[in-house]
Amino acid sequence: MGKAIRLLAASLLGTTCAVMLAHADNNPVDEKWWPGDHGPNDEIGAANYITPQKRLEAVKLVKRGKTATLGMPYSNHMPLVPGRTFTLTIPSGTNETIGPLPWPGDNYEQAFFDEMITAEIGQVGTQWDGLAHGAIRVEGAKGWKDGLYLYNGVRAQDAGTARGFKKNGPEKQPGFFTRGIMVDIAALKGVERLPKGYAITVADYKAALQKQGISDATQGDVVLIRTGWTKLWKTNHLGRPAGEKVKSDEQLAKDLIEAGDGEAGAHPELCDYLATRKIAMIGSDTWALEAFPPVIPGSTVYCHMNLLVRRGITNFENLDLDQLSEDKAYEFLFTWAPLKLVGATGSPGNPIAAY
Amino acid sequence: MGKAIRLLAASLLGTTCAVMLAHADNNPVDEKWWPGDHGPNDEIGAANYITPQKRLEAVKLVKRGKTATLGMPYSNHMPLVPGRTFTLTIPSGTNETIGPLPWPGDNYEQAFFDEMITAEIGQVGTQWDGLAHGAIRVEGAKGWKDGLYLYNGVRAQDAGTARGFKKNGPEKQPGFFTRGIMVDIAALKGVERLPKGYAITVADYKAALQKQGISDATQGDVVLIRTGWTKLWKTNHLGRPAGEKVKSDEQLAKDLIEAGDGEAGAHPELCDYLATRKIAMIGSDTWALEAFPPVIPGSTVYCHMNLLVRRGITNFENLDLDQLSEDKAYEFLFTWAPLKLVGATGSPGNPIAAY
Amino acid sequence: MGKAIRLLAASLLGTTCAVMLAHADNNPVDEKWWPGDHGPNDEIGAANYITPQKRLEAVKLVKRGKTATLGMPYSNHMPLVPGRTFTLTIPSGTNETIGPLPWPGDNYEQAFFDEMITAEIGQVGTQWDGLAHGAIRVEGAKGWKDGLYLYNGVRAQDAGTARGFKKNGPEKQPGFFTRGIMVDIAALKGVERLPKGYAITVADYKAALQKQGISDATQGDVVLIRTGWTKLWKTNHLGRPAGEKVKSDEQLAKDLIEAGDGEAGAHPELCDYLATRKIAMIGSDTWALEAFPPVIPGSTVYCHMNLLVRRGITNFENLDLDQLSEDKAYEFLFTWAPLKLVGATGSPGNPIAAY
Amino acid sequence: MGKAIRLLAASLLGTTCAVMLAHADNNPVDEKWWPGDHGPNDEIGAANYITPQKRLEAVKLVKRGKTATLGMPYSNHMPLVPGRTFTLTIPSGTNETIGPLPWPGDNYEQAFFDEMITAEIGQVGTQWDGLAHGAIRVEGAKGWKDGLYLYNGVRAQDAGTARGFKKNGPEKQPGFFTRGIMVDIAALKGVERLPKGYAITVADYKAALQKQGISDATQGDVVLIRTGWTKLWKTNHLGRPAGEKVKSDEQLAKDLIEAGDGEAGAHPELCDYLATRKIAMIGSDTWALEAFPPVIPGSTVYCHMNLLVRRGITNFENLDLDQLSEDKAYEFLFTWAPLKLVGATGSPGNPIAAY
């Protein structure tokens, strides 16, 4: 935090400031934050919390035989951070991709299509932040070699290559097959979408649990937070291929700006609380989990740092939690594994909740 | 099938010829093959067979609390059909991707990484063939409009765009959460890898079921066939990023040629049999499910046509079934949903088997 | 043209209608349009017009020893047709791309960077339309096999593959080293940018020649038309990498909509006239050469069809002609060759004008 | 250079060792190597040497009216450093890319194709190394801030972003329109291809000049060196789209290994000599300009460092110089400008030599 910002922060009064100060010391170099719960060579983080016993309990949550897929459609109608891209084309050149292939008949033959995709595929749309996504830059701190530190003390300068990270990649992950819970904060507050910047507190979380009649997160759970934020881009595409418009360019630009300009999200105190519950993963229907503008000035992505980087609790963004909300499915078997993209920073996904 | 090939086929004798003739008439224009079991507007095919009751029964198969992830690692060390590609890079330019971001401390700040991937992502490595992947070209057949026909009578010329298909895309799929079975034919035959061109028969399948002590496929099951074929490229990368070599270029070229030059796979009669069982999906540890060279000359991809295109039974290729084999996990809860890639022909994947 | 449109067209009166009717019969199946000037096996079109003698004359136009590069900067700030993309990233992962390499000293070593680009590279930004770009679909015309016809009677269904066209690709082109002329219609009209839909006539063209003091196009020339249209996106990036904003998202969206919603361009009669002059190439500072909305209702891209497809006169779009305008450099040596992208439809470029 | 390598180097005797020692001190931190000839804010390097007078002289070299294009075809049959890629597909999905568009006739309509390309486009195939390509890592040297230094003292950590460099990009370059000379060392030595590791000396260079009857390089020239090395991959594709084979996979693998395992190239002394001539650019028909294995152990890419990084003399690789050789065109007008890829490290190209 630069000097000017620190002065500004110090001059703030009231609740926000108190919270800020409470968290301001909780920084990565205050403590030796690795090895953590999972040992010095661990590369999978909080997925370790999911035990065979945990899995056996989780399947008992499947009572209706119903499932919801939690991924949003991927297309170039998604909101994209400027500089990121998603493009899908069907190669063909007026002929079938691979073919024709022979077939025992006179008037027909076979053909196949594939699709060419270019994207920051683990960091666009529904995206799971893996353990090579976030880093803390340390410079000039006593006892630390300068550099960018990923989960478990892996220095990016040592593990990074231009073609993928040698450590902490999704190909190491064992998958998530565990109890999932969804806290529907939008429903709790009686709104379609929480206001921009709204920071969901521990009190909100506990009120939602109580209202929904489910118990608190336990070790190895996946905790999903619903804000209603995906409403802003659900209407962009509705499953249409790139180029098919459903709104005017003006409206699309306006909605994307609104979607990306801020969001409701988890308050730092909620992330800290869930960390103490030793959850396996956190997720939400927002693009970055946290409230923006941030609760603590100068601490923009508190939860990413304290959950992902520090504790190996990975983070699923831009989930579609609407069907769970409609079905009042607050507790379920959550099942998903990231694509084994060797050395990647994340993974796209379409998890299944079964209840 | 051209004239020369038909003459050749007609001159073949014995079992193969009998099988060939049995299937030669079983072609797409012999019958009105749509609408099928799932109605004229269906776009999801055999996934329809998975009912709530089916799901409730499937979770009972989770007895040990153990899971296996069935995806192979994705890297540019995978075998690739010439003209297909997989490339992953970590954008950075010596600086962090998005950052620096402020943090309340003097000696550090935050950074994030993403990955840029270009690939025919639904048709390289572990890949699920969706309902816009395969097509039958019909020309000059009475009562048919000329064109390429996808599942359920969708003409590619009508539904295809350069940016994705308007119908039959994976974004429509409800996900697969059902009983899975694995028939370990390599183990049945006592070999590490079945020989190239070996066609797995119904008798093989039933012998494996009996040896493994599991019951036959039932409606809505996912059936996975293990041939040992992934052995040929499991040693290519072992989770290494692109560019890290573990074998010489000569050896890699040799192994890739061997891997792609043919394969063991399902005999057409086995695909026909499984179709009668109304399975939800078929899968294997091979790149194209079927035996190559093909059992029926001139009928190269019989199973793709009769399962995928004709009946909407999708097909998962290049799965890693080795852990299931080691654990003798022959019956399990299979759980996976394709990425909602709007208008794509398939999806990459990393399914979970829980047992 | 559909029936409704034809009725509408027939009811139009006056100049526009006369022009329309004059051209309405000039359609591709009115005449046997191949082989043309360059023989039945030609794949390079009007580049054939450039002779050694032509080249020797062209170098005499270099009088000041000055050059202008006519390409616009490529970045993701360019206007892009929805569904097209341009993305550039510097792979690195916090380490150098290829390196470190040894060097004879203790405190340093070498590193190299590359860039990963994904784009419809021949059809975004400054783009040259090659002879596999445009096609005319013929169906049910007597004496024609149904299909999409490229330059010189090449049927796309015969020459097209998913990985590039077998004929008419830019790798066949010999390059353009010839006399270039620039007609500055914006200057002629005394405006910064011609109004949307303005169609540049033969009279405009001749008035510009006269005002500028240069002679008419001759065989083998490259003719460039300046409308001022690039003004609309020159301010988008100013050489900045992707992600660096110079205008607000709202303003950018507004400008891009304005840039793409129409344009000034060549009137069909001008294209017809230049075809008679046997020019080697046409170019402009617009995204599609022609006036939009089109002069002839129902004949949207008249010039593309009659120059590119019919006569092999290729077309360079989104050129930056401002320096030529400032320097009053109306006649020059034009020198450029497309990238030899095997089987591509076009090429990016940065031609040099020397004067 | 590590200790072991230095000991090995010190034990070498004879000419090579003498050369090595002569150059070993000539390292980047021996001298203040910027600002150089072109001032502290320069971002275009040796292109500055090309003056209007130089251009006017260069056009006089066009005597026959003949041109050669010096680019090699781009396809996925090119040799590629592992981890780099080139992929081109024609998007279509059985329909035309943009279309159909109306046309005034009953039986036809228009369609257009584009191509989707993904590649490290400035660093594959025929490639021009720009001023953001090479860097020297300096650590712990007195008076230097640690980091990777590009041309003119630009620290990559300061100028680099994940989406392109802010300085030294090809969009800044004014283009090369100047005298080019080609020294045909393969012809001088009477071989089709120089042997691997052969280092072309100043004596070779001067012998070639004399044999060819041309004068030495002068300020602002482009100097091209022909080794015959492209022979190794010219037969890979012959203009065929990806997937069309002209050799067996075994032979292709063998040839690519041979092509990439080493090469003939410029001796460090030749690069030093040409630097004193203040040339504008160097080029060759090899993938990295320099002899491999390197002449000076531990100084792998001497020429890149001393020409590109230190003096801003850019470097064009994998040129096709065969037509120049056949035409004995040793002196010519060289004309080319890099694509204005904002912030890129290089550019693909297809320069024109006119003579």
Side-chain angles (χ1 to χ4, degrees), chain C residues 127-130 133 280-284 287-290 304 307-308 313-317:
Chain C
Q127 61 193 267
W128 172 80
D129 290 350
H133 175 56
M281 191 203 290
I282 195 167
S284 68
W287 46 262
L289 175 64
E290 333 217 13
H304 279 72
L307 296 184
L308 185 69
I313 298 171
T314 54
N315 171 31
F316 224 134
E317 292 160 343

XYZ file of all heavy atoms in Angstrom, chain C residues 127-130 133 280-284 287-290 304 307-308 313-317:
181
model
N -6.033 -5.779 -43.656
C -6.240 -7.121 -44.167
C -6.345 -7.120 -45.680
O -6.992 -6.282 -46.278
C -7.509 -7.724 -43.583
C -8.762 -6.934 -43.923
C -9.985 -7.323 -43.124
O -10.770 -8.150 -43.549
N -10.118 -6.710 -41.963
N -5.696 -8.096 -46.251
C -5.714 -8.261 -47.694
C -6.585 -9.458 -48.029
O -6.335 -10.564 -47.557
C -4.279 -8.465 -48.193
C -4.139 -8.823 -49.628
C -4.180 -7.979 -50.701
C -3.888 -10.124 -50.159
N -3.970 -8.686 -51.855
C -3.789 -10.003 -51.556
C -3.732 -11.398 -49.585
C -3.541 -11.091 -52.401
C -3.486 -12.481 -50.406
C -3.400 -12.316 -51.801
N -7.620 -9.218 -48.803
C -8.507 -10.309 -49.221
C -7.866 -11.074 -50.363
O -7.700 -10.541 -51.469
C -9.841 -9.745 -49.725
C -10.698 -9.161 -48.627
O -10.372 -9.333 -47.442
O -11.709 -8.527 -48.964
N -7.526 -12.315 -50.105
C -6.952 -13.162 -51.140
C -8.024 -13.867 -51.957
O -9.231 -13.658 -51.768
N -10.990 -15.918 -50.361
C -11.844 -15.220 -49.380
C -13.307 -15.164 -49.811
O -14.203 -15.491 -49.048
C -11.314 -13.814 -49.161
C -12.187 -12.964 -48.272
N -12.544 -13.352 -46.998
C -12.774 -11.749 -48.472
C -13.316 -12.414 -46.457
N -13.475 -11.444 -47.327
N -4.031 -4.117 -60.623
C -3.529 -5.321 -59.963
C -4.180 -5.533 -58.601
O -4.296 -6.666 -58.125
C -2.018 -5.233 -59.791
N -4.572 -4.432 -57.973
C -5.160 -4.532 -56.635
C -5.892 -3.248 -56.337
O -5.527 -2.188 -56.846
C -4.058 -4.711 -55.576
C -4.560 -5.089 -54.190
S -3.378 -4.648 -52.879
C -2.064 -5.802 -53.155
N -6.923 -3.325 -55.498
C -7.603 -2.143 -54.996
C -7.417 -2.112 -53.483
O -7.194 -3.156 -52.867
C -9.103 -2.136 -55.399
C -9.716 -0.742 -55.208
C -9.886 -3.205 -54.635
C -11.080 -0.584 -55.884
N -7.474 -0.924 -52.904
C -7.334 -0.831 -51.456
C -8.007 0.413 -50.947
O -8.352 1.317 -51.722
N -8.211 0.468 -49.632
C -8.864 1.635 -49.042
C -8.615 1.663 -47.549
O -8.062 0.733 -46.970
C -10.379 1.572 -49.290
O -10.939 0.503 -48.560
N -13.257 -0.840 -43.927
C -13.221 -2.266 -43.585
C -13.788 -3.160 -44.678
O -13.657 -4.377 -44.583
C -13.888 -2.545 -42.243
C -15.224 -1.890 -42.011
C -15.445 -0.731 -41.318
C -16.511 -2.335 -42.453
N -16.784 -0.425 -41.304
C -17.464 -1.396 -41.986
C -16.968 -3.421 -43.181
C -18.839 -1.518 -42.241
C -18.329 -3.558 -43.447
C -19.239 -2.610 -42.978
N -14.417 -2.584 -45.677
C -14.963 -3.468 -46.709
C -15.044 -2.836 -48.086
O -15.823 -3.285 -48.916
C -16.338 -4.005 -46.302
N -14.282 -1.788 -48.318
C -14.147 -1.191 -49.638
C -15.384 -0.468 -50.156
O -15.293 0.619 -50.714
C -13.726 -2.268 -50.665
C -13.654 -1.850 -52.133
C -12.586 -0.781 -52.364
C -13.372 -3.055 -53.037
N -16.554 -1.062 -49.930
C -17.782 -0.594 -50.575
C -18.594 0.305 -49.634
O -18.432 0.278 -48.426
C -18.654 -1.813 -50.966
C -17.820 -3.061 -51.203
C -18.319 -3.935 -52.338
O -19.172 -3.504 -53.125
O -17.848 -5.068 -52.430
N -16.609 -6.655 -54.271
C -15.940 -7.910 -53.917
C -16.202 -8.973 -54.987
O -15.299 -9.699 -55.391
C -16.448 -8.437 -52.566
C -15.813 -7.798 -51.387
N -16.079 -6.508 -51.013
C -14.904 -8.272 -50.488
C -15.364 -6.214 -49.920
N -14.652 -7.261 -49.590
N -14.710 -7.677 -58.592
C -13.254 -7.532 -58.659
C -12.561 -8.800 -58.171
O -11.762 -9.400 -58.887
C -12.800 -6.322 -57.825
C -13.286 -4.954 -58.311
C -12.686 -3.839 -57.458
C -12.953 -4.735 -59.789
N -12.890 -9.191 -56.947
C -12.143 -10.280 -56.315
C -12.484 -11.641 -56.921
O -11.621 -12.358 -57.425
C -12.452 -10.286 -54.803
C -11.681 -11.286 -53.953
C -10.221 -10.906 -53.870
C -12.279 -11.372 -52.556
N -8.947 -9.519 -58.871
C -8.355 -8.258 -58.394
C -8.525 -8.216 -56.880
O -9.634 -8.045 -56.371
C -9.024 -7.037 -59.059
C -8.789 -7.082 -60.570
C -8.497 -5.728 -58.458
C -9.570 -6.044 -61.367
N -7.433 -8.416 -56.163
C -7.519 -8.523 -54.707
C -7.711 -7.150 -54.071
O -7.594 -6.116 -54.732
C -6.271 -9.220 -54.147
O -5.103 -8.538 -54.613
C -6.223 -10.667 -54.621
N -7.962 -7.143 -52.767
C -8.528 -5.978 -52.101
C -7.908 -5.810 -50.721
O -7.976 -6.711 -49.894
C -10.051 -6.228 -51.985
C -10.749 -5.212 -51.125
O -10.343 -4.062 -51.053
N -11.806 -5.654 -50.455
N -7.300 -4.670 -50.489
C -6.617 -4.398 -49.215
C -7.470 -3.453 -48.386
O -7.760 -2.332 -48.813
C -5.260 -3.747 -49.486
C -4.132 -4.295 -48.673
C -2.910 -4.602 -49.260
C -4.269 -4.513 -47.305
C -1.852 -5.109 -48.524
C -3.216 -5.025 -46.556
C -1.998 -5.326 -47.174
N -7.845 -3.877 -47.181
C -8.766 -3.094 -46.360
C -8.088 -2.539 -45.105
O -7.077 -3.083 -44.648
C -9.962 -3.972 -45.963
C -10.838 -4.315 -47.162
C -11.744 -5.526 -46.972
O -11.480 -6.323 -46.038
O -12.692 -5.677 -47.767
